[in-house]
Amino acid sequence: MKYFDQAPIFKLYGGRDEWSRSERVHCETIASRSRLHHWHIRPHRHAGLYQILYLHRGRAVVCLDEARHAVQGPAWVEIPQAFVHGFEFDEDCAGHVVTIAYPLLQHLIHLLGPRAVPPSQPVIHTLDRHDGAGLRAAFAHLNAQYLSRDDFRDARIEAWLTLIYARLRSRHPGADPEGPRRARGLEHHTRFGELLEASYAVHHDVAWYAARLGMTAAHLNVITRAHAGKSPLQLIHERLALEAGRSLIYTSMTIGEISDALGFSEPAHFTRFFRKAAGESPRAFRQHAWDQDEVPPEAAPVRGSPRT
């Protein structure tokens, strides 16, 4: 791929910090982002994110690596992490884009079983009109829950996402033992992500992860920089900071309790780590999150009142 190394890595297209909060899934309409870029999403890639594009109506050109595919709705496209992709939409296109963090994707696979393993390469699925109509309603419900602040919002989002993903996998099983295998470097990067998800709170060093993958720390560094644009240590720290942010926003645990849960020897060490990662103290981060919601902590039914 001539432009693989040059393709920018985005959390979401157009910026590195657009996915607010500590969420594991993002949902939006095709138009909401594409119209900002004149309906042309240039080739880019994502690290640690799995993306589903559901095209309900209209025509699009889907760029996958160096190939261009003309797609007519209803259809959907699956894009695993690290694959270069871009889109050129007609202005009458309608549909949704769902971006899933790999920890949540692994949760769905565990819940649904081995047939729910996604394909290792990007795939385009064409749909008949009946399938398209049913999926349109499911994606609309998912998007509505994503935009809401209702009670049990996260559970509702996960329920709709599970239904959509189960429907996708029931019609198009992802695992294909006879199909082309992804590059070994990408497999190692994915495996590193799985190990990190299971062990981030234990504070293992890079050498520990490399040994579990059967390679040197220097080799692991090459792999993560190629596929995520970051060192293994950066990814380890980001995962810890992500969980810390979730705990600060969505739970009522004290700073000390969060510090213990994330494996820090004392709250002062956790506070220094979080300040370096987030640019502010845990206490300030929590307060800013509540202020952005415009809901007093004591009035929030899901998260509870912070006790810091």
Side-chain angles (χ1 to χ4, degrees), residues 48-305:
L49 302 174
Y50 192 88
Q51 199 161 69
I52 297 173
L53 169 76
Y54 168 61
L55 180 64
H56 170 67
R57 183 189 71 239
R59 299 188 183 200
V61 174
V62 179
C63 304
L64 300 173
D65 292 338
E66 294 181 337
R68 293 166 59 86
H69 308 268
V71 178
Q72 171 72 53
W76 57 10
V77 184
E78 296 183 80
I79 306 166
Q81 67 174 348
F83 283 95
V84 177
H85 59 286
F87 307 102
E88 298 171 15
F89 296 106
D90 287 354
E91 292 188 11
D92 65 343
C93 281
H96 291 84
V97 180
V98 176
T99 307
I100 309 168
Y102 265 81
L104 177 55
L105 183 63
Q106 293 298 324
H107 170 71
L108 295 179
I109 295 168
H110 178 75
L111 180 67
L112 299 173
R115 292 185 68 231
V117 174
S120 60
Q121 310 237 350
V123 180
I124 300 173
H125 306 287
T126 57
L127 304 169
D128 60 33
R129 293 294 172 182
H130 175 74
D131 279 343
L135 283 169
R136 181 185 185 185
F139 275 99
H141 281 296
L142 174 61
N143 193 62
Q145 291 301 323
Y146 182 81
L147 295 174
S148 79
R149 287 293 179 265
D150 294 340
D151 290 356
F152 311 112
R153 170 182 177 272
D154 291 352
R156 293 168 188 253
I157 289 173
E158 187 171 313
W160 281 109
L161 182 62
T162 303
L163 184 148
I164 290 170
Y165 190 76
R167 188 167 180 174
L168 170 60
R169 288 281 75 87
S170 66
R171 286 162 171 73
H172 307 282
D176 181 7
E178 302 302 322
R181 291 177 61 82
R182 69 174 76 184
R184 286 191 61 82
L186 184 55
E187 291 180 355
H188 287 316
H189 179 68
T190 301
R191 179 59 181 149
F192 170 69
E194 294 169 353
L195 286 171
L196 178 57
E197 183 61 24
S199 308
Y200 62 85
V202 187
H203 295 228
H204 292 304
D205 60 16
V206 173
W208 183 91
Y209 287 99
R212 295 305 182 278
L213 294 170
M215 64 181 66
T216 65
H219 189 191
L220 179 57
N221 182 65
V222 170
I223 288 172
T224 62
R225 287 191 180 279
H227 292 286
K230 297 174 182 176
S231 71
L233 187 61
Q234 285 177 294
L235 295 176
I236 293 168
H237 287 173
E238 283 187 0
R239 184 62 187 90
L240 265 174
L242 174 63
E243 197 64 26
R246 288 174 179 163
S247 298
L248 289 164
I249 294 172
Y250 296 116
T251 79
S252 59
M253 290 193 295
T254 66
I255 302 301
E257 289 169 341
I258 295 173
S259 173
D260 290 341
L262 294 181
F264 289 88
S265 59
E266 57 182 76
H269 293 165
F270 167 67
T271 297
R272 284 196 294 271
F273 165 82
F274 190 85
R275 186 187 295 276
K276 183 176 181 180
E280 59 185 343
S281 70
R283 188 188 304 274
F285 177 88
R286 171 176 266 171
Q287 189 59 54
H288 288 160
W290 285 111
D291 290 345
Q292 288 172 7
D293 257 355
E294 296 182 353
V295 177
E298 65 271 15
V302 177
R303 298 163 187 158
S305 177

Side-chain angles (χ1 to χ4, degrees), residues 1-8 45 65-66 82-84 226-227:
M1 292 175 287
K2 289 182 291 188
Y3 57 75
F4 182 85
D5 291 333
Q6 286 75 41
R45 51 192 169 129
D65 292 338
E66 294 181 337
F83 283 95
V84 177
H227 292 286

